[in-house]
Amino acid sequence: MTATERAAAQAYLRLLESTQAVLTDPDLVPYAGVMLTSPMAEADAALRAAGFSGNEDRLLRLVSSLRASPAEVWGRAG
């Protein structure tokens, strides 16, 4: 995983977590568009920079690897 790919996967996860937080709070739902504008822009730019446009399969594999142990992510698993 390159640094650019890792940054894109992390930006995607931040967007996912922000969306979940906003949409599960009834008081925040009316403000979802405003509150998610920045995380959406960040994720869009990071995904484009990493070349993930149209390559969702690769992105989702990297996102899954971020949830694995750090040793597995960097190829040091036993």
Side-chain angles (χ1 to χ4, degrees), residues 1-3 6-7 27-29 32 35 38 44-45 49-50 60 63 73:
M1 177 183 314
T2 68
R6 184 176 181 81
D27 294 331
L28 297 178
V29 170
M35 296 181 80
S38 180
D44 188 45
L60 295 176
V63 167
V73 171

Side-chain angles (χ1 to χ4, degrees), residues 25-41:
D25 185 336
D27 294 331
L28 297 178
V29 170
Y31 308 104
V34 173
M35 296 181 80
L36 297 174
T37 299
S38 180
M40 284 189 293

Side-chain angles (χ1 to χ4, degrees), residues 5 8 43-59:
E5 290 172 338
D44 188 45
L47 293 169
R48 197 174 317 112
F52 286 130
S53 296
N55 195 354
E56 294 80 9
D57 184 55
R58 172 94 173 114
L59 168 65

Side-chain angles (χ1 to χ4, degrees), residues 4-5 15 17 23 25 29 35 38 41-42 48 51 61 63-64 67-69 74 76 78:
T4 304
E5 290 172 338
L15 173 59
E17 291 165 358
L23 295 180
D25 185 336
V29 170
M35 296 181 80
S38 180
E42 176 197 12
R48 197 174 317 112
R61 282 196 312 269
V63 167
S64 293
R67 304 265 173 148
S69 75
W74 297 105
R76 293 187 298 262

